Amino acid sequence: MPAKDACPVIDAETHAQAQGHAQPQTPRRKLPILTAIAVLIALAILITLGTWQVERLHWKEGLLADIAERLAKPPVPLADIEAMAASGTDIEYRRVTASGVYDNSRERHFFATWRGRTGYYIYTPLQLADGRDLFVNRGFVPFDNKEPEMRMQGQLTDQQTVTGLARAKLPGKPSWVVPDNDIAKNIFYWKDLDVMASSTGLEKASVVPFFVDADDTPNPKGMPIGGVTEIDLPNNHLQYAFTWYGLAATLVVIVLVAALRKRGNPPAQ
């Protein structure tokens, strides 16, 4: 008997194609939902950071304008600044004048760098008429002039009137990286008013609760050098805002480009 012809096995897809009926293409997969969520979260974070920097920009501009206004005003009596401080009003960089006698035996030395030179700011209690003491930053002396005997002509005596800027008392150590004050050597690395006072034997209650930075009125032989207050408030918030918004825009462009490329490249048959 003649052998039966083998019957080839034809799968469904081949059969459909043979009949001229192409199988419908599988729809292209859209961006996975998790990826979409991640992109939206990242976009929200970037926009939030940019908006926060804009808010900080407005705050910083207002602060700088306020400081400029304070510096332009004439100095006020010490009592006015004390009243502001007692009411919770910001006293930073407000011009003030006070009179008294310097207690040079109780001066404190704050480690500082001024115009590229290393040395100290000299904080000296000014004894007021009511018996209290006001710590005045009289200015800068080079490292070799730390001790009073190296600048005796600048050790003012008798009644003095000082004009300068009110500076608020620090609530605590600015940062853990700042060294601890060396009381034994009379070297302060941060302005701890309470310790400055107690280390000289002054009672906290008898000390005015803020400092005054003396202006640049010359002292005998130029020591200390007054007017050393540095008002340096960086204002880079606009740059930061552009950075965050720019990153947000870049993310959007990347997602759009990826979507367009995928649409222009259909899956292979």
Side-chain angles (χ1 to χ4, degrees), residues 180-230:
D180 293 329
N181 294 324
D182 191 337
I183 309 304
K185 294 182 179 180
N186 189 8
I187 299 177
F188 286 78
Y189 296 100
W190 66 281
K191 296 182 293 183
D192 189 339
L193 178 57
D194 292 340
V195 174
M196 281 186 176
S198 63
S199 64
T200 62
L202 295 174
E203 296 292 333
K204 180 178 178 179
S206 69
V207 176
V208 176
F210 54 84
F211 301 96
V212 168
D213 287 354
D215 63 13
D216 58 359
T217 300
N219 288 305
K221 294 296 183 180
M223 294 285 177
I225 303 170
V228 296
T229 307
E230 295 182 356

Side-chain angles (χ1 to χ4, degrees), residues 4-250:
K4 293 183 178 180
D5 295 336
C7 182
V9 178
I10 302 176
D11 59 26
E13 182 178 357
T14 304
H15 179 73
Q17 291 176 352
Q19 297 297 321
H21 301 292
Q23 189 175 19
Q25 296 180 0
T26 303
R28 290 185 297 115
R29 298 175 61 187
K30 296 182 179 179
L31 189 67
I33 187 66
L34 292 179
T35 302
I37 292 175
V39 169
L40 290 175
I41 291 175
L43 189 60
I45 291 174
L46 292 173
I47 293 175
T48 299
L49 290 172
T51 303
W52 176 63
Q53 287 298 333
V54 171
E55 294 173 350
R56 293 281 294 174
L57 172 65
H58 295 323
W59 168 80
K60 183 63 69 66
E61 288 177 341
L63 178 60
L64 292 172
D66 187 31
I67 291 175
E69 182 181 356
R70 296 179 190 186
L71 294 175
K73 290 182 177 180
V76 300
L78 180 65
D80 291 0
I81 302 298
E82 290 188 88
M84 291 181 187
S87 66
T89 302
D90 183 15
I91 64 170
E92 279 286 272
Y93 307 118
R94 296 185 185 274
R95 298 187 67 204
V96 60
T97 183
S99 297
V101 178
Y102 283 119
D103 187 351
N104 295 308
S105 65
R106 287 190 165 101
E107 69 177 30
R108 301 289 87 183
H109 305 148
F110 176 77
F111 184 80
T113 299
W114 186 76
R115 295 186 178 178
R117 304 173 68 185
T118 302
Y120 301 90
Y121 291 160
I122 305 301
Y123 282 80
T124 306
L126 182 71
Q127 296 181 338
L128 307 174
D130 60 8
R132 295 181 304 150
D133 289 274
L134 168 69
F135 270 86
V136 176
N137 175 7
R138 297 193 57 211
F140 175 83
V141 298
F143 187 83
D144 292 337
N145 296 94
K146 177 179 184 290
E147 302 305 327
E149 55 266 23
M150 302 301 296
R151 45 183 167 81
M152 288 302 298
Q153 288 181 294
Q155 300 295 88
L156 301 178
T157 58
D158 302 325
Q159 188 77 4
Q160 304 291 329
T161 297
V162 58
T163 299
L165 302 176
R167 303 300 309 276
K169 172 183 175 181
L170 294 179
K173 191 175 180 180
S175 169
W176 64 270
V177 299
V178 177
D180 293 329
N181 294 324
D182 191 337
I183 309 304
K185 294 182 179 180
N186 189 8
I187 299 177
F188 286 78
Y189 296 100
W190 66 281
K191 296 182 293 183
D192 189 339
L193 178 57
D194 292 340
V195 174
M196 281 186 176
S198 63
S199 64
T200 62
L202 295 174
E203 296 292 333
K204 180 178 178 179
S206 69
V207 176
V208 176
F210 54 84
F211 301 96
V212 168
D213 287 354
D215 63 13
D216 58 359
T217 300
N219 288 305
K221 294 296 183 180
M223 294 285 177
I225 303 170
V228 296
T229 307
E230 295 182 356
I231 303 176
D232 183 15
L233 301 176
N235 188 12
N236 299 318
H237 300 294
L238 183 59
Q239 174 184 337
Y240 297 151
F242 276 127
T243 299
W244 292 122
Y245 285 144
L247 290 173
T250 301

